[in-house]
Amino acid sequence: MPRNEIKIGGFGGQGVILSGYILGRAASIYDSKYATMIQAFGPEARGSACSAQLIISDEPISYPYIVAPNVMVLMSQEAYSKFTPELAPGGILLTEEDLVVTHNLRADVRHFSIPATRIAEELGKRLVLNIVMLGFATALTNLVGRDAARNAVKVSVPKGTEELNFAAFEKGYEYGLQLLKKEPEKILA
Amino acid sequence: MHADPIGVLTGAHFIDGDHACSEGAIAAGCRFVAGYPITPSTEVVERIAERFPFVGGVFIQMEDEIASSIAIQGAVWGGKKAMTVTSGPGFSLMMEHIGLAAMTETPCVFVDVQRAGPSTGLPTMPAQGDMMQARWGSHGDYQIIAIVPNSPQECFDLTVHAFNLSERYRVPVMMMMDECVGHMIERVVIPSADKIEVHNRKVYDGPKESYRAFETGRDLIPSMVKAGDGYRIHVTGLTHDEKGYPDMSVSAQGKLVQRLMDKIRIHADDIVMYKEEDVEGADVVVVSFGITSRTAIPAIEQARAKGLKVGHLRLVVVWPFPEKRIRELAGKVKSIVVPELNMGQIVYEVERCAAGKCNVVSVPHAGGTVHQPKDILAAIEKSLRGT
Amino acid sequence: MPEELYDIETTIPSNPIEEFLRMDRMPHIWCPGCGIGTTVNCFVRALQTSGLDLDKVAVVSGIGCTGRVAGYMNLDSFHTTHGRAIPFATGLKLANPGLKVVVYSGDGDLTAIGGNHFIHAARRNMDLTVILINNMIYGMTGGQAAPTTPVGATASTTPHGNFEETFNLPFLAESCGAVYVARWTAHHVRHLTKSIKEALAKKGFSFVEILAPCPTLYSRRNKLGDGLDQMEFYRDNSEIKNGADTKSVTLDFQGKITVGKFVDKERPTYIEAMNQHYQKKFGDRYVPSDEIRKLSHAQE
Ligand code: SF4
């Protein structure tokens, strides 16, 4: 797997940073890949469009910042407007269906969406939206394996909430697999 | 000596450089930290504050960086290994106490997570603008050791090393991180305690009557006691004799300062640390350090793809500077390129050592982000023109 | 000049204070008639009767004439940087809480450049005994104004007279949380000795301010005579008021001097507060340093 640059965007409180962290942890600790995550700090990190930046690769990562992300996971309209222009040609865009309207989307972008908020609400906790998105991203990309992602979820979420988060992860993952059956040509090589 | 297992979080972690630095300190046996909040270094002391109650450490948030930088020295004379942590503006405030630590040969570690300056500058963004300050910031002549990590893993490994060097040479050691490395999250593998080598200061335990606190053998490093051991030591920032008593004579000054310099100089070959890659036979060598060593890699790869013979020398220990090696290289290569996140600091050292034997090209950057590889590539190409 | 002033300078081999001083460093640098030596003598006498193990007493000084005290004491002694004796002492105490740590420094050092550290150590109730020699001037650097120079007094940097309000140090110390606050002059040797002894026995931030003459720079410039005249002035103008409200003890230029023990109370020290807090919060999971554990066992 070559260098993959991932950007996760949303608004504060959606667990954007945590989902990036779990993905990186899954790759670097449980999948023996390399991962570098850069945190945005200061006022900009607390604003309405916050983001996590992550690189995952089979090779050691030298340059630490993302240049042109080839995978984006977006959970707010503002993040969509702000970040999609950066998406690399042919990149994968994963969005939260009810929170993001994908107008003017470039033709080269491989786009999938999931009603993650509704799924999270059905599970009884809107907060696990980010973990639903994470399961979704795990299914639709080959960034990390399912087991690695599950292991990382387990050690990264608050104690006592593991089962709920696993359920959220599985729902997102399953949803992703179903979509993939419909459009297998879109998967990340 | 090996690390005390009580403090060692053996295993693979996905943590940032700041937190890795804290773990390195704990593994090295640091049990006193004094600090004052400042971005982007605060996470180091936050983790220390979290962890210390469980490992027998004392953390105190002092009223400012001046206080922090001397509280650690009190703690060292009380028998602890100690560290303080800061960033540019706080580092500026600590300068006098770097001099005190050098003068009183107090082993301690100063961590500076560099951000863009001068003054308040860009608090949340990286730079490497404090490199000369680390070396020369306090008044007078003295020597220190400065280490520059380029990843969270090295923030762990090299913090342990910083304490070891500090204890061995009784000198303040600067851990020169930067915002990017400090906030970057990567895998950090912490070995088991028995795999972590830890050095402790040489301790005097001979008869009290014959103890002279600053007397040394040929290694020029005095052995230490701590307050309360009954030796009734006197430690002063004034020029002093071997007993530690103030001596206001020109000869005492000459003797002491010479030894403080020589103490590091004669051990420089053991302290200096750099990593080379494809340097033999290269036409150009990129000399880099810290985060810049990582941004240089794509540039070097691109240059090689264009058929240029480019080597890479990464400084891990920047002070003392690897003078011998740079002198040697300068006689063999056509040019040396020095990218750094400042307007040109270490390049002066390189120029000094190259002494006109090869082209030396600076790739300055005012900080706030890292270099674009294309700028370093352009400098590599430019450095060969006219050679 | 009181006899005490000369005890140090004319020490005979059998003098009982000899073991407390680094005799190999005599003669000292202080001017004839300087009050600092007298205070050292009182400190030594307080130590002698304190019952403290002298191997476990450390003196920390900053910079200045009084800053030289550490260098003359035959104890573990640290002569640090200007204004920073208290934070150094803080680190020393926290690392090695079995030590009795005494900060011995001047008014300029502790309350101008070191003022921030002074107030915070008092606030934390750091277990230190702070002995402050107030000669109302910077001595070592040549008689410049200090935060303690009275309004109307002349100093080399206030050649036309000082118009800046001064610090009332007992009030400052008390309001920041010191558990023991006293003020004496170099004339009150017996009271002072007793007071230092009490301060040494106290747990927490204890503070003793001592007015002492600086004949060379302060008295001469202000036409107040020599050291002896200043001592006589202390004798004639001091009023002992134990328990006085520290608000009322401000010093004026050659005005009345209120001396006495003003504050003597109890509150947990920094180390006690830390221990109690972590023990309550973490129980057996709390691992204090070996030195702190030993100390709290000894106290139980
Ligand atoms: S200058 Fe003043 S304070 Fe200093 S030693 Fe002389 S008399 Fe004492």
Side-chain angles (χ1 to χ4, degrees), chain A residues 11 20 38 70 80 88 98 150 164 168 172 177:
Chain A
F11 46 78
I38 293 284
N70 57 327
Y80 176 81
D98 299 330
R150 279 178 56 99
L164 171 69
L177 284 188

Side-chain angles (χ1 to χ4, degrees), chain C residues 30-31 34 36 65 135 139 214-217:
Chain C
W30 295 312
C31 309
C34 174
I36 297 171
C65 293
N135 54 20
C214 167
T216 309
L217 294 161

Side-chain angles (χ1 to χ4, degrees), chain A residues 28-170:
Chain A
S28 73
I29 308 291
Y30 300 105
D31 247 355
S32 55
K33 292 177 178 167
Y34 292 89
T36 299
M37 180 172 167
I38 293 284
Q39 313 169 72
F41 273 80
E44 65 274 23
R46 301 180 192 112
S48 48
C50 78
S51 70
Q53 304 184 29
L54 186 71
I55 300 162
I56 295 178
S57 173
D58 285 334
E59 305 279 311
I61 295 159
S62 51
Y63 191 80
Y65 292 127
I66 64 175
V67 183
N70 57 327
V71 178
M72 266 193 195
V73 181
L74 301 179
M75 301 182 243
S76 78
Q77 196 62 40
E78 202 183 333
Y80 176 81
S81 330
K82 198 169 161 190
F83 300 135
T84 33
E86 303 165 13
L87 190 60
I92 289 202
L93 174 66
L94 308 179
T95 57
E96 205 295 339
E97 200 166 287
D98 299 330
L99 298 174
V100 179
V101 184
T102 52
H103 50 74
N104 299 331
L105 190 60
R106 291 191 334 241
D108 62 290
V109 173
R110 292 174 286 171
H111 174 238
F112 301 91
S113 68
I114 176 173
T117 311
R118 268 182 282 151
I119 294 175
E121 278 167 356
E122 279 163 22
L123 290 168
K125 256 260 180 329
R126 206 195 157 106
L127 266 175
V128 294
L129 146 87
N130 61 336
I131 305 298
V132 177
M133 292 300 290
L134 185 73
F136 187 55
T138 305
L140 286 170
T141 68
N142 60 358
L143 295 172
V144 295
R146 177 168 174 262
D147 289 344
R150 279 178 56 99
N151 284 334
V153 167
K154 188 177 171 189
V155 293
S156 306
V157 298
K159 285 231 164 2
T161 69
E162 292 91 341
E163 287 311 315
L164 171 69
N165 280 289
F166 280 154
F169 179 85
E170 288 305 324

Side-chain angles (χ1 to χ4, degrees), chain C residues 3-277:
Chain C
E3 282 169 14
E4 286 79 4
L5 199 57
Y6 282 99
D7 277 6
I8 295 165
E9 295 178 14
T10 58
T11 303
I12 47 167
S14 61
N15 190 313
I17 78 163
E18 199 176 287
E19 61 167 304
F20 292 83
L21 299 175
R22 297 187 193 275
M23 296 311 295
D24 50 353
R25 289 214 56 216
M26 296 300 144
H28 58 68
I29 61 154
W30 295 312
C31 309
C34 174
I36 297 171
T38 313
T39 72
V40 171
N41 208 6
C42 296
F43 176 49
V44 164
R45 289 189 197 289
L47 280 176
Q48 267 173 329
T49 53
S50 67
L52 290 167
D53 173 359
L54 295 183
D55 281 346
K56 303 288 177 199
V57 179
V59 182
V60 184
S61 289
I63 298 296
C65 293
T66 312
R68 292 304 185 93
V69 167
Y72 297 128
M73 301 304 304
N74 188 20
L75 300 167
D76 284 323
S77 55
F78 300 92
H79 181 222
T80 64
T81 52
H82 194 22
R84 320 303 174 194
I86 285 179
F88 183 98
T90 296
L92 184 61
K93 180 72 190 180
L94 292 177
N96 202 340
L99 294 173
K100 172 58 67 180
V101 181
V102 181
V103 170
Y104 212 120
S105 218
D107 49 326
D109 184 81
L110 285 170
T111 71
I113 185 166
N116 198 25
H117 313 309
F118 181 87
I119 62 177
H120 287 284
R123 172 181 65 80
R124 297 182 179 114
N125 202 23
M126 197 54 71
D127 197 358
L128 305 173
T129 297
V130 176
I131 299 174
L132 178 149
I133 309 304
N134 182 0
N135 54 20
M136 303 181 165
I137 205 99
Y138 282 88
M140 186 68 86
T141 46
Q144 295 79 17
T148 43
T149 304
V151 173
T154 304
S156 73
T157 48
T158 56
H160 313 295
N162 176 40
F163 50 83
E164 253 186 52
E165 206 46 65
T166 61
F167 258 151
N168 170 352
L169 297 178
F171 181 46
L172 178 71
E174 183 184 14
S175 47
C176 294
V179 291
Y180 183 95
V181 180
R183 174 197 281 155
W184 301 99
T185 77
H187 168 75
H188 298 89
V189 284
R190 254 186 296 277
H191 289 100
L192 174 57
T193 304
K194 179 165 174 274
S195 200
I196 294 177
K197 193 176 156 189
E198 284 176 2
L200 288 171
K202 198 79 191 165
K203 270 196 302 174
F205 190 90
S206 54
F207 174 63
V208 181
E209 178 189 14
I210 310 168
L211 267 59
C214 167
T216 309
L217 294 161
Y218 183 76
S219 311
R220 190 174 300 160
R221 188 184 292 271
N222 284 288
K223 304 194 169 53
L224 304 172
D226 58 16
L228 184 57
D229 295 316
Q230 218 27 48
M231 288 297 216
E232 278 167 0
F233 177 82
Y234 291 157
R235 183 194 63 207
D236 299 340
N237 292 279
S238 297
E239 220 180 329
I240 299 178
K241 275 196 200 167
N242 291 319
D245 182 347
T246 55
K247 266 191 211 125
S248 69
V249 304
T250 306
L251 296 169
D252 299 320
F253 183 55
Q254 293 302 93
K256 286 276 175 222
I257 302 166
T258 308
V259 294
K261 178 167 82 175
F262 306 133
V263 177
D264 191 350
K265 64 179 182 191
E266 303 294 330
R267 93 187 160 89
T269 66
Y270 181 91
I271 291 177
E272 287 169 345
M274 178 177 76
N275 267 343
Q276 280 160 16
H277 180 75

Side-chain angles (χ1 to χ4, degrees), chain A residues 20-22 24-25 27-29 32-39 41-44 54 61-65, chain B residues 12-16 43 124-126 179-180 183-187 291 294-295 297-298 369-373:
Chain A
Y21 178 82
I22 295 174
R25 196 170 186 178
S28 73
I29 308 291
S32 55
K33 292 177 178 167
Y34 292 89
T36 299
M37 180 172 167
I38 293 284
Q39 313 169 72
F41 273 80
E44 65 274 23
L54 186 71
I61 295 159
S62 51
Y63 191 80
Y65 292 127
Chain B
H13 306 265
F14 192 56
I15 52 176
D16 69 18
E43 290 83 352
T124 60
M125 298 173 186
E179 187 278 336
C180 185
H183 282 162
M184 169 196 293
I185 304 177
E186 287 186 339
R187 175 173 53 212
I291 189 61
R294 293 176 60 158
T295 54
I297 290 171
T369 182
V370 295
H371 284 86
Q372 302 246 11

